[in-house]
Amino acid sequence: MAFVSIYTVGRLNHHYDHPASREFFDVGYEVMRQAGKTGQLIEEFSPYGVPIPKEAAKGEGFPVLTLTVWKSLQGLYRFTYSGQHRQALRDRSKWMEPYAEKHLSYVVWWTEKVKDVSWQEAFKRYNYYVQHGPTSFAFDFKHAFDEKGEMCVVTKI
């Protein structure tokens, strides 16, 4: 059985201790609680102590990284664009720095074993996508691939 991983990267408008950033983290905590209740989230990796990669170091704001593993691409997509997470995406500009240029804010990939998912793997997949575009190795929701490496379409159903 294959699992799907997602790595996200963004930059907060304000320092981590700023009230607006604290609100972001409070909302994020509730979003992750909701994710846990879906039965789709398998693992959430802590970003604490993770060296900030070059792509996250660009810009003026303060980097925020997430890395999670899910049971299915469909379940991840459904969660991303519904409920509290959907509202957080709508409110993104309150907390997150806009990008002057086109910026990849996330990358998705398949893995056979949860233990193979790591921050180093996430950075490798992200950099691969930036250099080569979407493939079955690293992709986004608009250019998705199923666990067999075939292009597919994901919807909320």
Side-chain angles (χ1 to χ4, degrees), residues 6-68:
I6 184 168
Y7 162 63
T8 69
V9 58
R11 299 188 66 78
L12 292 170
N13 288 320
H14 304 283
H15 190 273
Y16 302 112
D17 291 332
H18 188 277
S21 297
R22 294 293 349 137
E23 178 188 19
F24 168 80
F25 289 116
D26 290 344
V27 168
Y29 175 78
E30 291 303 319
V31 165
M32 291 314 297
R33 276 180 31 132
Q34 185 184 41
K37 292 178 182 178
T38 65
Q40 288 289 308
L41 179 66
I42 295 174
E43 180 128 7
E44 175 187 11
F45 292 80
S46 172
Y48 298 109
V50 173
I52 303 300
K54 185 172 66 173
E55 77 272 2
K58 293 179 186 176
E60 300 296 317
F62 300 86
V64 178
L65 313 175
T66 69
L67 177 57
T68 53

Short mmCIF file of all heavy atoms in Angstrom, two decimals, residues 6-68:
data_model
loop_
_atom_site.label_atom_id
_atom_site.label_comp_id
_atom_site.label_asym_id
_atom_site.label_seq_id
_atom_site.Cartn_x
_atom_site.Cartn_y
_atom_site.Cartn_z
N ILE A 6 3.22 15.20 1.72
CA ILE A 6 3.17 16.59 1.25
C ILE A 6 4.08 17.44 2.13
O ILE A 6 4.07 17.35 3.35
CB ILE A 6 1.73 17.15 1.23
CG1 ILE A 6 1.71 18.57 0.64
CG2 ILE A 6 1.08 17.07 2.60
CD1 ILE A 6 0.32 19.11 0.32
N TYR A 7 4.89 18.24 1.44
CA TYR A 7 5.78 19.20 2.08
C TYR A 7 5.30 20.58 1.67
O TYR A 7 5.07 20.83 0.49
CB TYR A 7 7.21 18.96 1.61
CG TYR A 7 8.18 20.10 1.83
CD1 TYR A 7 8.49 20.54 3.12
CD2 TYR A 7 8.79 20.73 0.76
CE1 TYR A 7 9.39 21.57 3.31
CE2 TYR A 7 9.70 21.75 0.95
CZ TYR A 7 10.00 22.19 2.23
OH TYR A 7 10.89 23.21 2.41
N THR A 8 5.11 21.47 2.64
CA THR A 8 4.72 22.85 2.34
C THR A 8 5.77 23.80 2.89
O THR A 8 6.42 23.52 3.90
CB THR A 8 3.34 23.22 2.94
OG1 THR A 8 3.43 23.27 4.36
CG2 THR A 8 2.27 22.21 2.51
N VAL A 9 5.91 24.93 2.21
CA VAL A 9 6.85 25.96 2.64
C VAL A 9 6.23 27.33 2.39
O VAL A 9 5.62 27.57 1.35
CB VAL A 9 8.22 25.81 1.91
CG1 VAL A 9 8.06 25.88 0.41
CG2 VAL A 9 9.21 26.82 2.42
N GLY A 10 6.35 28.19 3.37
CA GLY A 10 5.86 29.55 3.26
C GLY A 10 6.65 30.46 4.19
O GLY A 10 7.54 30.00 4.91
N ARG A 11 6.29 31.74 4.18
CA ARG A 11 6.99 32.71 5.03
C ARG A 11 5.96 33.59 5.72
O ARG A 11 5.11 34.18 5.08
CB ARG A 11 7.93 33.56 4.20
CG ARG A 11 9.01 32.73 3.50
CD ARG A 11 10.05 33.58 2.84
NE ARG A 11 10.84 34.32 3.78
CZ ARG A 11 11.83 33.82 4.53
NH1 ARG A 11 12.14 32.56 4.43
NH2 ARG A 11 12.51 34.57 5.35
N LEU A 12 6.08 33.65 7.04
CA LEU A 12 5.20 34.51 7.83
C LEU A 12 5.55 35.97 7.61
O LEU A 12 6.73 36.32 7.45
CB LEU A 12 5.33 34.18 9.31
CG LEU A 12 4.80 32.82 9.75
CD1 LEU A 12 5.23 32.54 11.20
CD2 LEU A 12 3.30 32.77 9.63
N ASN A 13 4.53 36.83 7.63
CA ASN A 13 4.76 38.27 7.52
C ASN A 13 5.52 38.82 8.71
O ASN A 13 6.24 39.81 8.59
CB ASN A 13 3.42 39.02 7.44
CG ASN A 13 2.72 38.83 6.12
OD1 ASN A 13 3.35 38.83 5.07
ND2 ASN A 13 1.42 38.67 6.17
N HIS A 14 5.32 38.23 9.87
CA HIS A 14 5.87 38.75 11.12
C HIS A 14 6.66 37.67 11.85
O HIS A 14 6.49 36.48 11.59
CB HIS A 14 4.74 39.23 12.03
CG HIS A 14 3.86 40.24 11.39
ND1 HIS A 14 4.22 41.56 11.23
CD2 HIS A 14 2.62 40.13 10.86
CE1 HIS A 14 3.24 42.21 10.62
NE2 HIS A 14 2.26 41.36 10.37
N HIS A 15 7.47 38.11 12.80
CA HIS A 15 8.25 37.19 13.63
C HIS A 15 7.32 36.16 14.27
O HIS A 15 6.13 36.41 14.48
CB HIS A 15 9.00 37.98 14.71
CG HIS A 15 10.00 37.14 15.43
ND1 HIS A 15 9.66 36.38 16.54
CD2 HIS A 15 11.30 36.90 15.20
CE1 HIS A 15 10.71 35.73 16.96
NE2 HIS A 15 11.74 36.02 16.16
N TYR A 16 7.85 35.03 14.61
CA TYR A 16 7.07 33.91 15.17
C TYR A 16 6.28 34.30 16.42
O TYR A 16 5.21 33.74 16.67
CB TYR A 16 7.99 32.73 15.49
CG TYR A 16 8.76 32.23 14.30
CD1 TYR A 16 10.14 32.39 14.23
CD2 TYR A 16 8.12 31.61 13.23
CE1 TYR A 16 10.86 31.94 13.13
CE2 TYR A 16 8.83 31.16 12.13
CZ TYR A 16 10.20 31.33 12.09
OH TYR A 16 10.90 30.89 11.00
N ASP A 17 6.78 35.24 17.21
CA ASP A 17 6.10 35.64 18.45
C ASP A 17 5.09 36.77 18.26
O ASP A 17 4.43 37.17 19.22
CB ASP A 17 7.14 36.07 19.50
CG ASP A 17 7.95 34.89 19.99
OD1 ASP A 17 7.43 33.75 19.97
OD2 ASP A 17 9.12 35.10 20.38
N HIS A 18 4.98 37.30 17.09
CA HIS A 18 4.04 38.39 16.81
C HIS A 18 2.61 37.88 16.97
O HIS A 18 2.33 36.71 16.67
CB HIS A 18 4.27 38.90 15.38
CG HIS A 18 3.51 40.12 15.04
ND1 HIS A 18 2.19 40.08 14.63
CD2 HIS A 18 3.87 41.43 15.06
CE1 HIS A 18 1.77 41.31 14.38
NE2 HIS A 18 2.77 42.14 14.64
N PRO A 19 1.67 38.71 17.44
CA PRO A 19 0.28 38.26 17.60
C PRO A 19 -0.34 37.65 16.33
O PRO A 19 -1.06 36.65 16.42
CB PRO A 19 -0.46 39.52 18.02
CG PRO A 19 0.58 40.35 18.72
CD PRO A 19 1.86 40.07 17.97
N ALA A 20 -0.04 38.20 15.18
CA ALA A 20 -0.59 37.63 13.93
C ALA A 20 -0.02 36.24 13.68
O ALA A 20 -0.74 35.33 13.25
CB ALA A 20 -0.30 38.55 12.75
N SER A 21 1.26 36.06 13.96
CA SER A 21 1.87 34.74 13.78
C SER A 21 1.34 33.77 14.82
O SER A 21 1.12 32.59 14.51
CB SER A 21 3.40 34.85 13.88
OG SER A 21 3.89 35.66 12.84
N ARG A 22 1.12 34.23 16.03
CA ARG A 22 0.55 33.37 17.07
C ARG A 22 -0.84 32.88 16.62
O ARG A 22 -1.20 31.73 16.82
CB ARG A 22 0.44 34.09 18.42
CG ARG A 22 1.74 34.45 19.04
CD ARG A 22 2.67 33.34 19.53
NE ARG A 22 2.21 31.98 19.62
CZ ARG A 22 2.91 30.92 19.22
NH1 ARG A 22 4.09 31.06 18.70
NH2 ARG A 22 2.44 29.70 19.35
N GLU A 23 -1.61 33.79 15.99
CA GLU A 23 -2.93 33.40 15.48
C GLU A 23 -2.77 32.31 14.41
O GLU A 23 -3.52 31.33 14.39
CB GLU A 23 -3.65 34.61 14.88
CG GLU A 23 -5.02 34.23 14.29
CD GLU A 23 -5.68 35.36 13.52
OE1 GLU A 23 -4.97 36.32 13.12
OE2 GLU A 23 -6.89 35.26 13.30
N PHE A 24 -1.79 32.47 13.53
CA PHE A 24 -1.52 31.46 12.51
C PHE A 24 -1.26 30.10 13.15
O PHE A 24 -1.82 29.09 12.74
CB PHE A 24 -0.32 31.89 11.65
CG PHE A 24 0.20 30.80 10.77
CD1 PHE A 24 -0.42 30.49 9.58
CD2 PHE A 24 1.32 30.06 11.15
CE1 PHE A 24 0.04 29.46 8.76
CE2 PHE A 24 1.80 29.04 10.35
CZ PHE A 24 1.16 28.74 9.15
N PHE A 25 -0.41 30.06 14.17
CA PHE A 25 -0.09 28.80 14.82
C PHE A 25 -1.29 28.22 15.57
O PHE A 25 -1.49 27.00 15.59
CB PHE A 25 1.12 28.95 15.75
CG PHE A 25 2.41 29.14 15.00
CD1 PHE A 25 3.13 30.32 15.11
CD2 PHE A 25 2.91 28.14 14.17
CE1 PHE A 25 4.32 30.50 14.42
CE2 PHE A 25 4.09 28.30 13.46
CZ PHE A 25 4.80 29.49 13.60
N ASP A 26 -2.11 29.09 16.17
CA ASP A 26 -3.33 28.61 16.84
C ASP A 26 -4.29 27.98 15.84
O ASP A 26 -4.83 26.90 16.08
CB ASP A 26 -4.03 29.76 17.58
CG ASP A 26 -3.27 30.24 18.80
OD1 ASP A 26 -2.35 29.52 19.27
OD2 ASP A 26 -3.59 31.35 19.29
N VAL A 27 -4.47 28.64 14.70
CA VAL A 27 -5.33 28.09 13.64
C VAL A 27 -4.72 26.80 13.12
O VAL A 27 -5.43 25.81 12.92
CB VAL A 27 -5.53 29.13 12.51
CG1 VAL A 27 -6.18 28.48 11.29
CG2 VAL A 27 -6.38 30.29 13.01
N GLY A 28 -3.41 26.78 12.92
CA GLY A 28 -2.73 25.59 12.45
C GLY A 28 -2.92 24.40 13.38
O GLY A 28 -3.11 23.27 12.93
N TYR A 29 -2.88 24.66 14.66
CA TYR A 29 -3.10 23.59 15.65
C TYR A 29 -4.50 23.00 15.47
O TYR A 29 -4.67 21.77 15.45
CB TYR A 29 -2.93 24.15 17.07
CG TYR A 29 -3.27 23.14 18.13
CD1 TYR A 29 -2.37 22.12 18.47
CD2 TYR A 29 -4.49 23.20 18.80
CE1 TYR A 29 -2.70 21.19 19.43
CE2 TYR A 29 -4.82 22.27 19.77
CZ TYR A 29 -3.92 21.27 20.08
OH TYR A 29 -4.25 20.34 21.03
N GLU A 30 -5.50 23.86 15.31
CA GLU A 30 -6.88 23.38 15.12
C GLU A 30 -7.04 22.65 13.79
O GLU A 30 -7.75 21.65 13.70
CB GLU A 30 -7.87 24.54 15.23
CG GLU A 30 -8.00 25.09 16.62
CD GLU A 30 -8.40 24.03 17.64
OE1 GLU A 30 -9.27 23.19 17.35
OE2 GLU A 30 -7.82 24.04 18.76
N VAL A 31 -6.37 23.14 12.76
CA VAL A 31 -6.41 22.47 11.45
C VAL A 31 -5.83 21.06 11.57
O VAL A 31 -6.40 20.10 11.05
CB VAL A 31 -5.65 23.31 10.39
CG1 VAL A 31 -5.37 22.49 9.14
CG2 VAL A 31 -6.44 24.56 10.03
N MET A 32 -4.72 20.93 12.27
CA MET A 32 -4.11 19.60 12.42
C MET A 32 -4.97 18.68 13.29
O MET A 32 -5.00 17.47 13.06
CB MET A 32 -2.69 19.72 12.96
CG MET A 32 -1.72 20.33 11.96
SD MET A 32 -1.82 19.65 10.27
CE MET A 32 -1.36 17.95 10.54
N ARG A 33 -5.66 19.25 14.26
CA ARG A 33 -6.61 18.43 15.05
C ARG A 33 -7.70 17.88 14.14
O ARG A 33 -8.08 16.72 14.23
CB ARG A 33 -7.23 19.25 16.18
CG ARG A 33 -6.39 19.31 17.41
CD ARG A 33 -7.04 20.13 18.48
NE ARG A 33 -8.49 20.08 18.43
CZ ARG A 33 -9.28 19.86 19.47
NH1 ARG A 33 -8.77 19.68 20.65
NH2 ARG A 33 -10.59 19.85 19.34
N GLN A 34 -8.22 18.74 13.25
CA GLN A 34 -9.23 18.31 12.29
C GLN A 34 -8.65 17.25 11.35
O GLN A 34 -9.32 16.27 11.04
CB GLN A 34 -9.76 19.50 11.50
CG GLN A 34 -10.91 19.13 10.56
CD GLN A 34 -11.37 20.29 9.71
OE1 GLN A 34 -10.55 21.06 9.20
NE2 GLN A 34 -12.67 20.41 9.55
N ALA A 35 -7.42 17.43 10.93
CA ALA A 35 -6.77 16.46 10.04
C ALA A 35 -6.71 15.09 10.72
O ALA A 35 -6.98 14.06 10.09
CB ALA A 35 -5.36 16.92 9.67
N GLY A 36 -6.37 15.08 11.99
CA GLY A 36 -6.31 13.82 12.73
C GLY A 36 -7.64 13.11 12.81
O GLY A 36 -7.69 11.87 12.83
N LYS A 37 -8.70 13.87 12.82
CA LYS A 37 -10.05 13.29 12.91
C LYS A 37 -10.55 12.70 11.59
O LYS A 37 -11.52 11.97 11.57
CB LYS A 37 -11.04 14.34 13.40
CG LYS A 37 -10.81 14.75 14.84
CD LYS A 37 -11.80 15.83 15.25
CE LYS A 37 -11.54 16.28 16.68
NZ LYS A 37 -12.46 17.35 17.07
N THR A 38 -9.86 13.01 10.48
CA THR A 38 -10.31 12.52 9.18
C THR A 38 -10.05 11.03 9.00
O THR A 38 -10.65 10.39 8.15
CB THR A 38 -9.59 13.25 8.03
OG1 THR A 38 -8.19 12.93 8.08
CG2 THR A 38 -9.81 14.75 8.08
N GLY A 39 -9.11 10.50 9.76
CA GLY A 39 -8.70 9.12 9.56
C GLY A 39 -7.75 8.95 8.38
O GLY A 39 -7.34 7.84 8.07
N GLN A 40 -7.39 10.04 7.75
CA GLN A 40 -6.50 10.01 6.59
C GLN A 40 -5.05 10.37 6.94
O GLN A 40 -4.13 9.89 6.31
CB GLN A 40 -7.00 10.98 5.51
CG GLN A 40 -8.25 10.52 4.81
CD GLN A 40 -7.96 9.35 3.90
OE1 GLN A 40 -7.06 9.36 3.08
NE2 GLN A 40 -8.73 8.29 4.07
N LEU A 41 -4.86 11.21 7.94
CA LEU A 41 -3.52 11.63 8.34
C LEU A 41 -2.82 10.50 9.07
O LEU A 41 -3.36 9.96 10.04
CB LEU A 41 -3.59 12.87 9.24
CG LEU A 41 -2.26 13.40 9.76
CD1 LEU A 41 -1.40 13.94 8.62
CD2 LEU A 41 -2.50 14.48 10.80
N ILE A 42 -1.63 10.16 8.62
CA ILE A 42 -0.86 9.09 9.25
C ILE A 42 0.23 9.66 10.15
O ILE A 42 0.44 9.20 11.25
CB ILE A 42 -0.22 8.18 8.18
CG1 ILE A 42 -1.32 7.47 7.42
CG2 ILE A 42 0.76 7.21 8.81
CD1 ILE A 42 -0.81 6.66 6.26
N GLU A 43 0.95 10.68 9.67
CA GLU A 43 2.07 11.21 10.44
C GLU A 43 2.27 12.68 10.13
O GLU A 43 2.11 13.12 9.00
CB GLU A 43 3.35 10.45 10.12
CG GLU A 43 4.54 10.93 10.87
CD GLU A 43 5.28 9.82 11.59
OE1 GLU A 43 4.94 8.64 11.40
OE2 GLU A 43 6.19 10.15 12.34
N GLU A 44 2.61 13.44 11.18
CA GLU A 44 2.99 14.84 11.06
C GLU A 44 4.40 14.97 11.64
O GLU A 44 4.64 14.56 12.77
CB GLU A 44 2.02 15.73 11.84
CG GLU A 44 2.39 17.18 11.86
CD GLU A 44 1.51 18.02 12.77
OE1 GLU A 44 0.73 17.46 13.56
OE2 GLU A 44 1.63 19.25 12.70
N PHE A 45 5.32 15.51 10.86
CA PHE A 45 6.70 15.66 11.29
C PHE A 45 6.91 17.04 11.89
O PHE A 45 6.47 18.04 11.33
CB PHE A 45 7.65 15.47 10.11
CG PHE A 45 7.67 14.07 9.58
CD1 PHE A 45 6.67 13.61 8.73
CD2 PHE A 45 8.68 13.20 9.94
CE1 PHE A 45 6.67 12.31 8.25
CE2 PHE A 45 8.70 11.89 9.46
CZ PHE A 45 7.69 11.45 8.62
N SER A 46 7.61 17.12 12.99
CA SER A 46 7.91 18.39 13.64
C SER A 46 8.99 19.13 12.85
O SER A 46 10.01 18.54 12.48
CB SER A 46 8.40 18.16 15.06
OG SER A 46 8.87 19.39 15.61
N PRO A 47 8.81 20.44 12.64
CA PRO A 47 9.83 21.22 11.95
C PRO A 47 10.91 21.77 12.89
O PRO A 47 11.89 22.35 12.44
CB PRO A 47 9.02 22.38 11.35
CG PRO A 47 7.92 22.59 12.32
CD PRO A 47 7.57 21.20 12.84
N TYR A 48 10.74 21.57 14.19
CA TYR A 48 11.69 22.13 15.15
C TYR A 48 13.06 21.50 15.00
O TYR A 48 13.21 20.29 14.97
CB TYR A 48 11.16 21.99 16.57
CG TYR A 48 9.87 22.74 16.76
CD1 TYR A 48 8.67 22.06 16.90
CD2 TYR A 48 9.85 24.13 16.71
CE1 TYR A 48 7.48 22.75 17.01
CE2 TYR A 48 8.67 24.83 16.83
CZ TYR A 48 7.48 24.13 16.99
OH TYR A 48 6.30 24.82 17.09
N GLY A 49 14.06 22.36 14.87
CA GLY A 49 15.44 21.91 14.72
C GLY A 49 15.82 21.55 13.30
O GLY A 49 16.97 21.17 13.05
N VAL A 50 14.89 21.66 12.37
CA VAL A 50 15.18 21.34 10.97
C VAL A 50 15.91 22.53 10.34
O VAL A 50 15.45 23.67 10.44
CB VAL A 50 13.87 21.05 10.19
CG1 VAL A 50 14.13 20.88 8.71
CG2 VAL A 50 13.18 19.84 10.76
N PRO A 51 17.05 22.29 9.70
CA PRO A 51 17.76 23.39 9.03
C PRO A 51 16.89 23.96 7.91
O PRO A 51 16.31 23.20 7.13
CB PRO A 51 19.02 22.75 8.46
CG PRO A 51 19.01 21.33 8.87
CD PRO A 51 17.72 21.02 9.55
N ILE A 52 16.79 25.26 7.84
CA ILE A 52 15.94 25.91 6.84
C ILE A 52 16.60 25.79 5.47
O ILE A 52 17.74 26.23 5.28
CB ILE A 52 15.72 27.40 7.19
CG1 ILE A 52 15.10 27.55 8.58
CG2 ILE A 52 14.87 28.09 6.14
CD1 ILE A 52 13.76 26.88 8.75
N PRO A 53 15.90 25.18 4.51
CA PRO A 53 16.47 25.03 3.16
C PRO A 53 16.55 26.35 2.42
O PRO A 53 15.84 27.31 2.74
CB PRO A 53 15.50 24.06 2.48
CG PRO A 53 14.23 24.20 3.21
CD PRO A 53 14.58 24.58 4.61
N LYS A 54 17.39 26.38 1.42
CA LYS A 54 17.63 27.59 0.63
C LYS A 54 16.32 28.17 0.06
O LYS A 54 16.12 29.37 0.10
CB LYS A 54 18.62 27.27 -0.50
CG LYS A 54 19.03 28.48 -1.31
CD LYS A 54 20.16 28.15 -2.27
CE LYS A 54 19.67 27.18 -3.32
NZ LYS A 54 20.65 26.93 -4.38
N GLU A 55 15.43 27.31 -0.44
CA GLU A 55 14.20 27.83 -1.06
C GLU A 55 13.30 28.50 -0.04
O GLU A 55 12.51 29.38 -0.38
CB GLU A 55 13.43 26.74 -1.81
CG GLU A 55 12.64 25.79 -0.94
CD GLU A 55 13.43 24.59 -0.46
OE1 GLU A 55 14.63 24.48 -0.77
OE2 GLU A 55 12.84 23.76 0.24
N ALA A 56 13.40 28.15 1.23
CA ALA A 56 12.59 28.77 2.27
C ALA A 56 13.27 30.02 2.81
O ALA A 56 12.63 30.82 3.49
CB ALA A 56 12.33 27.79 3.39
N ALA A 57 14.55 30.19 2.54
CA ALA A 57 15.29 31.33 3.07
C ALA A 57 15.10 32.59 2.24
O ALA A 57 15.49 33.67 2.66
CB ALA A 57 16.78 30.98 3.17
N LYS A 58 14.50 32.48 1.06
CA LYS A 58 14.26 33.65 0.22
C LYS A 58 13.13 34.49 0.80
O LYS A 58 12.17 33.95 1.33
CB LYS A 58 13.86 33.22 -1.19
CG LYS A 58 14.94 32.53 -1.97
CD LYS A 58 14.42 32.11 -3.33
CE LYS A 58 15.42 31.30 -4.08
NZ LYS A 58 14.89 30.83 -5.35
N GLY A 59 13.25 35.80 0.68
CA GLY A 59 12.19 36.69 1.13
C GLY A 59 12.51 37.33 2.47
O GLY A 59 13.54 37.08 3.08
N GLU A 60 11.59 38.16 2.92
CA GLU A 60 11.79 38.93 4.14
C GLU A 60 11.19 38.25 5.36
O GLU A 60 11.61 38.49 6.48
CB GLU A 60 11.15 40.32 3.98
CG GLU A 60 11.72 41.13 2.84
CD GLU A 60 13.18 41.46 3.05
OE1 GLU A 60 13.56 41.82 4.18
OE2 GLU A 60 13.96 41.34 2.08
N GLY A 61 10.17 37.43 5.17
CA GLY A 61 9.42 36.85 6.28
C GLY A 61 10.14 35.72 6.98
O GLY A 61 11.32 35.45 6.74
N PHE A 62 9.39 35.02 7.82
CA PHE A 62 9.93 33.96 8.67
C PHE A 62 9.42 32.61 8.20
O PHE A 62 8.21 32.40 8.11
CB PHE A 62 9.54 34.25 10.12
CG PHE A 62 10.08 35.57 10.59
CD1 PHE A 62 9.38 36.75 10.37
CD2 PHE A 62 11.31 35.64 11.20
CE1 PHE A 62 9.89 37.97 10.76
CE2 PHE A 62 11.84 36.87 11.60
CZ PHE A 62 11.12 38.03 11.38
N PRO A 63 10.32 31.68 7.85
CA PRO A 63 9.94 30.41 7.23
C PRO A 63 9.03 29.54 8.11
O PRO A 63 9.21 29.47 9.33
CB PRO A 63 11.26 29.69 7.01
CG PRO A 63 12.32 30.72 7.16
CD PRO A 63 11.77 31.79 8.02
N VAL A 64 8.08 28.89 7.44
CA VAL A 64 7.20 27.91 8.07
C VAL A 64 7.18 26.69 7.17
O VAL A 64 6.89 26.80 5.97
CB VAL A 64 5.77 28.46 8.24
CG1 VAL A 64 4.87 27.41 8.84
CG2 VAL A 64 5.75 29.71 9.09
N LEU A 65 7.50 25.53 7.72
CA LEU A 65 7.55 24.27 6.98
C LEU A 65 6.59 23.27 7.58
O LEU A 65 6.45 23.21 8.80
CB LEU A 65 8.97 23.68 7.03
CG LEU A 65 10.16 24.58 6.77
CD1 LEU A 65 11.45 23.82 7.00
CD2 LEU A 65 10.09 25.13 5.36
N THR A 66 5.95 22.47 6.74
CA THR A 66 5.16 21.33 7.22
C THR A 66 5.52 20.11 6.39
O THR A 66 5.88 20.22 5.22
CB THR A 66 3.64 21.56 7.15
OG1 THR A 66 3.22 21.60 5.78
CG2 THR A 66 3.22 22.84 7.87
N LEU A 67 5.39 18.95 7.02
CA LEU A 67 5.61 17.68 6.34
C LEU A 67 4.66 16.66 6.97
O LEU A 67 4.71 16.44 8.18
CB LEU A 67 7.06 17.22 6.50
CG LEU A 67 7.44 15.86 5.91
CD1 LEU A 67 7.12 15.79 4.41
CD2 LEU A 67 8.91 15.57 6.17
N THR A 68 3.78 16.10 6.15
CA THR A 68 2.81 15.12 6.63
C THR A 68 2.69 13.96 5.66
O THR A 68 3.03 14.08 4.48
CB THR A 68 1.41 15.76 6.84
OG1 THR A 68 1.02 16.42 5.63
CG2 THR A 68 1.41 16.76 7.99
#
